[in-house]
Amino acid sequence: MRIALLSDIHANLPAFEAVLEDLKNQNPDAVYCLGDLVGYNVWPNQVIDLVRKHGIATIAGNHDLKVSTILSSEGDCSKEENSEYAYKLVGSKERDYLLTLPRHLRLEFQINDQQLSMLLVHGSPRSINEYLLQELSEDYMVELVKEFKADILCFGHSHKPYHRIINSGKDGSDHFHHLINTGSVGKPKDGDARACYVLLTIDQSASFTSKDTVQVEFVRVKYDVEKAAQAVELSLLPNSFADSLRKAY
């Protein structure tokens, strides 16, 4: 089974459209989004509309939940740059959608008499705002995956993609866990301005006793970065948001 995982679209319509076009060619069996559909860019409603039209199962990100306190810009005559403008663009129906998204999704696989549990979160299972950075200690990550019973833990939030394998087994008995940060579709921060998503392959040999039976591929997709950056510069969003798209920081 091939599963596409994407996250942190951040209202970047050109990037999301490019990823959707690439997914047509990849033809995965399922697509999941790990949140943050809005923020930083000017197309939140269009992105939400495409997510819903394509039937992409989605969880809430921390930026999605900001619309609970930042309402739309109707009647707002402000002419000053501010980062909250990104959330004020969100329509009422789109706002309702974001605020009813689930926080986590869990998939259970039964393969070769073993149960593999795959947990999809935005930040971490403990907090939507927690950054699971690649340099976190193995002891911390082992404690986390054991607490939440995750053989495969998938997350976004930091916008920095990585795949890390850890072993929680003891006394010569291996139990491997896969930690997968999907990177960001609409606001990469790893120095590569291309959109990023993950293709995860789980086949009939998949087992938590072997670290090589779950395959993770990071897919990078070119898109019109200048179109997105210039749209930011023509809006009330800070121009620094446009610079971060160009430089991917």
Side-chain angles (χ1 to χ4, degrees), residues 91-233:
S92 59
K93 291 181 180 179
E94 290 79 10
R95 179 176 176 272
D96 290 344
Y97 168 76
L98 294 176
L99 295 178
T100 54
L101 289 172
R103 297 296 185 92
H104 301 162
L105 288 174
R106 186 182 292 274
L107 307 178
E108 302 284 358
F109 299 88
Q110 192 74 30
I111 301 174
N112 297 323
D113 297 322
Q114 275 189 5
Q115 183 170 305
L116 288 176
S117 181
M118 179 175 170
L119 183 60
L120 312 180
V121 303
H122 180 69
S124 89
R126 290 176 175 159
S127 169
I128 200 169
N129 291 303
E130 182 179 10
Y131 289 97
L132 295 181
L133 301 175
Q134 189 168 8
E135 58 267 26
L136 284 172
S137 73
E138 182 161 325
D139 287 344
Y140 180 83
M141 297 305 296
V142 165
E143 177 186 323
L144 186 69
V145 294
K146 289 178 70 175
E147 177 184 351
F148 291 93
K149 298 178 175 61
D151 300 302
I152 306 170
L153 180 61
C154 306
F155 47 93
H157 192 45
S158 74
H159 302 202
K160 295 182 178 180
Y162 70 85
H163 174 211
R164 180 180 177 186
I165 302 172
I166 58 175
N167 190 351
S168 69
K170 293 182 178 180
D171 302 323
S173 179
D174 290 328
H175 189 136
F176 294 104
H177 305 259
H178 296 263
L179 312 174
I180 304 165
N181 189 305
T182 60
S184 172
V185 169
K187 197 178 189 299
K189 292 183 179 179
D190 62 343
D192 187 338
R194 295 175 298 171
C196 182
Y197 73 93
V198 163
L199 282 174
L200 174 70
T201 302
I202 299 174
D203 60 31
Q204 290 184 342
S205 66
S207 167
F208 56 70
T209 60
S210 174
K211 64 181 180 179
D212 299 320
T213 57
V214 174
Q215 303 300 318
V216 178
E217 177 187 357
F218 294 96
V219 182
R220 302 307 289 241
V221 183
K222 290 183 178 180
Y223 77 97
D224 193 341
V225 175
E226 269 307 303
K227 180 179 179 179
Q230 289 175 18
V232 168
E233 290 169 339

